[in-house]
Amino acid sequence: MKDFPTSRAPAAGEFLSIEGMTCASCVARVEKAIGRVEGVASASVNLATERAEVHYAGAPVHEAVVAAIRKAGYDVQPATFDLGIEGMTCATCVGRAEKAIRAVPGVVEVSVNLATERATVRVADKSAALTAAIEAAVRKAGYEPHEIVAAGVDKSAFRAEEQARLGREFLIAGALTLPIFVLEMGGHLIPAFHMALMTTVGITPLYVFYFVLASAVQFGPGLRFYRKGLPALWQLAPDMNSLVVVGSSAAWAYSVVATFAPALLPVGAANVYFESSSVIVTLILMGRYLEAKAKGRTSEAISKLVGLQAKSARVLRGAEVVEVPLEAVKPGEVIQIRPGDRIPVDGVVLEGGSFVDEAMISGEPVPVRKEAGAQVTGGTINTNGAFTYRAEKVGAEMMLSRIIRMVESAQGAKLPIQGLVDKVTAWFVPAVMAVALVTFAAWMIWGPSVALALVNAVAVLIIACPCAMGLATPTSIMVGTGRAAELGVLFRNGEALQSLTSVGVVALDKTGTLTEGHPSLSDVVLAEGESRAEVLALVAAAEAGSEHPVAAAIVAAARAEGLTLPEASDFAAIPGLGVRATVGGRRVEVGADRFMTEIGVDVTRLAEAAAGLAGRARSPLYAAVDGRLAALIAVADPIKGSTPAAIAALHRLGLKVAMVTGDNARTARAIADELGIDEVVAEVLPEGKVAAVKALRQGGRRVAFVGDGINDAPALAEADVGLAVGTGTDVAIETADVVLMGGDLAGVAKALGISRATMRNIGQNLFWAFAYNVALIPVAAGVLYPVNGTLLSPMIAAGAMAMSSVFVLSNALRLKRFGRSGG
């Protein structure tokens, strides 16, 4: 069970972008290094997002954490943030502010904008001390700094840079390796070519030529493996880079001895393996390059969302419309929108009208009509009309900003299943090195030559692929949650992905979830001697003080009939029962039959009519005036057009569907029968929804609850998974695990479908990663040699290892097709 609302308040902490991680062992090393820092409560590192989430027990110890990460052999990417600066009036002020900030130690780059009155600062490490120093420098220069707002790190730029670097290194390594490979393999395959080579060049000059090229590969493009792998070895925490370094270096060093000091080796063992060392480095660089390209695609969802932001806005200032940067828009300002414009910030339409493409929110391609009073969302696209609107939410408060934060949070999460993977990978690399040593020793004792002992030991080191194991879970989460966001389903935490797969019952709130949430008055049945106009005016006057949709429907109907509503006083709303007020000196009470029973009003005379209305899916209410039954009033809340198909989709997924409602049992059953709902929990008071969820959980069933209102928040927190309809209240959205931006139930089936597809994808990746290592490490060690003479060349091992990670990433990328072809 989740506590409400305290469970949503995160511990003090921060996110750090880590450079240099390549495999699951790196993740374990970074987590261990951060965890040992005094003051750190917990640390979670994600290989796919290359990010560490650090929570502190007390005051943040940022500098100590960064130092620990660097000591472990990794680096922290520079952080970028915005600082508001007051008091600048001209270009000279801009120069003075920039100079003051740039002089602070730790500042990498700064750009001050006079129009937005902001400085964008890039620092080596963002810390409280550095922030204070920058603010002090701004004050000393004669200006006043504002609160700092995090702007995040543009990961796509870093990834593009790293991808380009890997591409260059792979091409260089390939160009240097190709001559060795062609000459050596050509000699093996074509004896005549080998003889001609030995005759014209000679064996020693040829080996020296190999040595020069192989050394250039080993300590040129291959130097990246030494920079990470050797420190890891020295700290007794070997990683993927360590395996590559030990394997390729062993082949290179043995070849160097065979070339320049062959007498040190046994007779007949002076063979060179320069082609193996070079091909190992080249193929692994190729794998890293392909992996970087695939990783870039896994994070496309965030890049696309960031790309939806408008760059500027046409703001009405005085009598003129001025185009200003997005950052300069303030709440309350009036913005002009033309056909084809991207809406810059969230707000409310004042004048004009148009159709707006809200696919980024709902996943639905059909534009939505916007008129005066309608809400518009930043990042959506205006189609063919023009209108003006008032900015309400800007910057971090915009819906798009919140969506980006939710997706980032979900993509960086670790599922419970990842804990087991982390435990395995913590000892995986040391175990592989031990197997390689045993392989070398066994072949030295029982094998035909020291050369084969070396080749097989190197093959064991190179074939092992902890990268695939480390990437198996986080890449699927990244692609799955990103695709879900494109479909209008936001996972607020990654754990919901795993939890949703085990849900057996989906409990749905009725009003606003199954129905439109905009009821209308359908029937008025009067008690004997009563006047419709008089009763309806009294009831509407009493209900005018209520914010409930049913009250709004009654008030709207009275006004539509031209009735004048008297003044009401002493208004009181009784949650789950009804309302009471004094209208024109008369006591008016409106509510359900249980409310009438509580106040002592006999409803027997109209009970039969109420049952008939309930059977037609109407919600009957009774009105009492001065303690006497005056009328039976019924409202109808139309079922959303998408609801029947959504219920059918949930049934196709093998789920039971339950409806939780405050309506009387007969009305609730009529709606349930119409929609094919399996279970009904009716006449539930707002505080009773938690009990309803607990009741549905009996028998060991796991329950997902879908709601949209403030009164749904406790039930959303109580359920195993809470899904909030995005058109609902902020409280409901903040309490839920999953947010359905489309505003209808179709998102529930999408959420369940993407969660199942993602967990299935994770299972496939983990099976491949573990099966690959379990099957091929023994083959590389030579267990099949006594049976059929099979041995695995280190070059083939390098190719297999390089492609293993690419396979995992490519499989995860298949989730991008979910929902496009049956999903």
Side-chain angles (χ1 to χ4, degrees), residues 358 361-364 487-490 509-518 639-643 646 706-708 724-728 733 739-748 750:
E358 295 187 334
I361 297 174
S362 64
E364 298 298 329
L487 294 171
V489 177
L490 301 180
D509 175 55
K510 190 203 79 171
T511 304
T513 303
L514 288 169
T515 65
E516 294 287 356
H518 305 296
I639 301 293
K640 287 181 180 177
S642 59
T643 296
V706 186
D708 69 334
V725 177
T727 52
I733 290 171
V739 180
L740 310 175
M741 299 304 297
D744 62 47
L745 284 181
V748 180
K750 289 177 186 175

Side-chain angles (χ1 to χ4, degrees), residues 425-682:
T425 53
W427 57 259
F428 178 78
V429 173
V432 168
M433 300 189 84
V435 170
L437 281 173
V438 170
T439 299
F440 183 79
W443 278 89
M444 284 292 290
I445 296 169
W446 294 293
S449 69
V450 66
L452 275 181
L454 175 74
V455 167
N456 291 325
V458 169
V460 168
L461 291 170
I462 300 303
I463 197 76
C465 189
C467 302
M469 290 189 287
L471 291 168
T473 301
T475 51
S476 295
I477 293 172
M478 283 187 72
V479 181
T481 53
R483 178 58 185 150
E486 291 174 0
L487 294 171
V489 177
L490 301 180
F491 287 89
R492 297 190 69 245
N493 57 72
E495 290 81 358
L497 268 173
Q498 187 165 339
S499 302
L500 262 179
T501 58
S502 59
V503 163
V505 180
V506 177
L508 308 165
D509 175 55
K510 190 203 79 171
T511 304
T513 303
L514 288 169
T515 65
E516 294 287 356
H518 305 296
S520 57
L521 184 68
S522 61
D523 301 89
V524 177
V525 182
L526 299 169
E528 191 176 345
E530 297 292 344
S531 160
R532 175 187 171 96
E534 182 183 7
V535 171
L536 186 54
L538 290 171
V539 170
E543 292 281 14
S546 172
E547 295 180 351
H548 196 283
V550 169
I554 294 171
V555 172
R559 286 182 172 150
E561 293 185 18
L563 301 177
T564 301
L565 306 188
E567 286 293 324
S569 59
D570 303 325
F571 172 82
I574 300 89
L577 294 175
V579 301
R580 66 161 53 98
T582 301
V583 182
R586 306 180 73 180
R587 188 174 84 255
V588 180
E589 288 153 316
V590 186
D593 51 1
R594 53 186 181 276
F595 184 36
M596 295 295 114
T597 301
E598 188 174 293
I599 62 176
V601 174
D602 183 12
V603 298
T604 306
R605 285 174 293 165
L606 297 178
E608 187 176 339
L613 290 169
R616 288 159 44 210
R618 307 285 197 267
S619 298
L621 299 170
Y622 293 95
V625 178
D626 293 331
R628 184 171 53 85
L629 183 64
L632 170 68
I633 295 173
V635 294
D637 190 358
I639 301 293
K640 287 181 180 177
S642 59
T643 296
I647 299 293
L650 294 174
H651 282 143
R652 283 196 299 273
L653 289 170
L655 299 164
K656 294 288 185 184
V657 181
M659 181 174 69
V660 178
T661 178
D663 274 344
N664 69 64
R666 190 183 289 267
T667 301
R669 191 68 257 174
I671 294 172
D673 290 342
E674 180 184 341
L675 294 173
I677 290 173
D678 305 293
E679 300 178 41
V680 176
V681 185

Side-chain angles (χ1 to χ4, degrees), residues 22 166-167 169-170 173-174 177 217-218 221-222 224-225 240-248 276-292 458-459 461-465 467 772 794-806:
T22 56
L166 280 166
E169 291 177 359
F170 165 59
T177 299
V217 172
Q218 196 75 22
R224 65 164 52 231
F225 301 115
M240 178 68 216
N241 297 293
S242 306
L243 295 178
V244 176
V245 165
V246 172
S248 63
S276 290
S277 67
S278 301
V279 169
I280 286 169
V281 171
T282 302
L283 287 180
I284 292 174
L285 282 171
M286 180 193 73
R288 290 277 174 90
Y289 172 69
L290 294 174
E291 187 179 313
V458 169
L461 291 170
I462 300 303
I463 197 76
C465 189
C467 302
Y772 164 89
M795 292 185 288
I796 295 174
M801 189 274 278
M803 297 314 295
S804 180
S805 297
V806 175

